Amino acid sequence: MGFKDWAPWVGIAVSLIWNLINSRRSSLQWRAGHALAEFKTLKTPVDQSLNKLRASKKQVTALELSADGQPAIDERVKALNQQISAEFNELTVFLEALDTSHHSSRCDWVQSAEINFDSFVGTYDRLYAPKAPRERLRIVSESAAKLQTLIDAVHTGLEGELKSKMK
């Protein structure tokens, strides 16, 4: 049997192997692309909730500039507390979707966010007691920093997971 006899069969075998490899690679790429697209659909509402919390953080920071008396400040603190709590509850709904999704590699999104939120609330609630202006400024600044920590932790986690899915 000469080269002319088995060369076509080798060519066919190489072609089949090459097609099998390409088929497998295409399938893996499709799955990765699908997982990325699904993760992005879960990430978008979380990003929107984080933007609301960022705006609320600006309002918390604005309390530093307030020259109002204690009753007016108490009303603003209470209203902001209710607003931020509602925004955080909305955020946890979206984070729960990430926790239960097969497209997210983590399952502790809500738990880690709640830890940071509890830290924020513990600090923010100290604004309800009458304070000297200097003490109030310190607590407002500390509260804003803790709210930023919550936002950054969720955002960094999302971005890290998104980058890992893009590889």
Side-chain angles (χ1 to χ4, degrees):
M1 204 174 189
F3 177 72
K4 288 183 179 181
D5 294 333
W6 58 267
W9 294 106
V10 170
I12 291 171
V14 168
S15 177
L16 287 174
I17 292 170
W18 183 252
N19 286 340
L20 181 66
I21 291 169
N22 277 337
S23 175
R24 179 73 176 140
R25 283 185 60 220
S26 294
S27 177
L28 290 174
Q29 286 178 342
W30 180 86
R31 285 188 186 125
H34 178 69
L36 178 62
E38 287 298 316
F39 182 77
K40 283 181 177 180
T41 63
L42 295 169
K43 180 184 176 291
T44 300
V46 173
D47 285 336
Q48 292 168 347
S49 288
L50 290 177
N51 286 336
K52 289 178 185 178
L53 283 171
R54 283 184 185 97
S56 294
K57 187 194 111 194
K58 293 288 186 192
Q59 292 178 11
V60 169
T61 305
L63 289 173
E64 290 179 331
L65 307 174
S66 176
D68 296 336
Q70 191 64 40
I73 288 175
D74 287 346
E75 285 301 313
R76 287 181 60 201
V77 166
K78 182 179 177 183
L80 266 174
N81 192 359
Q82 290 172 343
Q83 176 182 326
I84 292 169
S85 294
E87 290 168 354
F88 180 74
N89 288 338
E90 178 183 291
L91 175 65
T92 58
V93 168
F94 299 129
L95 292 176
E96 284 172 356
L98 277 172
D99 279 344
T100 59
S101 174
H102 297 294
H103 301 290
S104 175
S105 61
R106 287 179 48 185
C107 61
D108 65 340
W109 289 99
V110 173
Q111 181 183 12
S112 62
E114 284 177 343
I115 291 169
N116 288 321
F117 186 71
D118 289 344
S119 177
F120 161 76
V121 169
T123 303
Y124 190 82
D125 282 350
R126 292 187 301 180
L127 287 171
Y128 286 110
K131 301 276 185 246
R134 185 169 287 219
E135 178 69 9
R136 184 178 70 225
L137 287 175
R138 187 184 65 74
I139 293 171
V140 166
S141 178
E142 197 176 316
S143 296
K146 290 191 178 193
L147 187 55
Q148 186 63 46
T149 300
L150 164 67
I151 293 166
D152 289 345
V154 174
H155 180 75
T156 302
L158 286 172
E159 292 302 312
E161 188 157 343
L162 184 64
K163 283 181 183 178
S164 72
K165 290 189 179 315
M166 292 174 70
K167 290 181 180 179

